[in-house]
Amino acid sequence: MARSMATTVTTASDCSAIVTGALGELMVSQQLTTRGWTVCIPMVGGNSSHFDLVAAKGDLVHRIQVKASSRLCATGAYVWGTAKGSGAKTTYSRGDFDYIVLVFVAQPALYLVMPIAKVSEIQTVKTKVNGKYWPFLDRWDLLEPRHDQPAGEC
């Protein structure tokens, strides 16, 4: 991925984080593609945009932020950093993207799909099976058009 090559790697942990992030983006792209979405990667170098992928299906377009982790705590909690920046971290705000997908890249892989409102203003998501964020497990349907809303006037 061209975006990762523009990033300066200074330590082994930086390299590991870049590989985990790239793997997460590929895994989410594959999930979206198999669900009929066209997936695009912003052509902005490095991490200068607040979203990693653009997913389009028909007239529907979503900006998606991907956060990947292979971190599982001894307590059984899955953990993702959800802030932006490489030094001092800052939280995302509602205008930065539409949806976030938290992907656990180790096997078995899991995906938490949620609107930005669920993670804006927090820096870490930590959840156990059946925890606070577990209802968002594999909620790819949230990206689909809502059919329960009345149609607009012609």
Side-chain angles (χ1 to χ4, degrees):
M1 299 182 80
R3 292 174 358 125
S4 296
M5 293 187 328
T7 304
T8 302
V9 177
T10 57
T11 66
S13 64
D14 288 343
C15 182
S16 177
I18 290 168
V19 169
T20 300
L23 178 59
E25 289 177 21
L26 288 170
M27 291 170 68
V28 170
S29 295
Q30 184 268 334
Q31 289 291 318
L32 290 165
T33 302
T34 60
R35 288 169 169 77
W37 293 86
T38 298
V39 178
C40 304
I41 299 171
M43 294 205 39
V44 184
N47 291 319
S48 57
S49 68
H50 297 299
F51 52 93
D52 297 311
L53 305 171
V54 176
K57 185 189 279 187
D59 292 336
L60 196 57
V61 178
H62 297 304
R63 298 167 301 157
I64 298 177
Q65 175 59 241
V66 176
K67 292 295 182 180
S69 177
S70 58
R71 187 170 163 209
L72 182 63
C73 293
T75 61
Y78 297 91
V79 181
W80 292 268
T82 55
K84 59 186 170 184
S86 57
K89 299 286 187 181
T90 58
T91 58
Y92 287 104
S93 58
R94 291 182 186 233
D96 289 338
F97 51 85
D98 305 308
Y99 290 90
I100 189 166
V101 179
L102 306 177
V103 56
F104 186 71
V105 298
Q107 294 299 317
L110 63 85
Y111 304 85
L112 300 177
V113 183
M114 60 187 88
I116 186 174
K118 299 296 180 184
V119 297
S120 63
E121 309 307 322
I122 63 172
Q123 292 196 5
T124 304
V125 166
K126 188 175 188 178
T127 192
K128 291 184 178 183
V129 173
N130 297 321
K132 176 179 179 179
Y133 296 98
W134 210 251
F136 295 100
L137 179 67
D138 290 325
R139 289 298 311 273
W140 300 102
D141 60 296
L142 294 175
L143 303 175
E144 298 294 337
R146 293 184 52 192
H147 299 291
D148 59 342
Q149 294 180 341
E153 293 182 17
C154 294

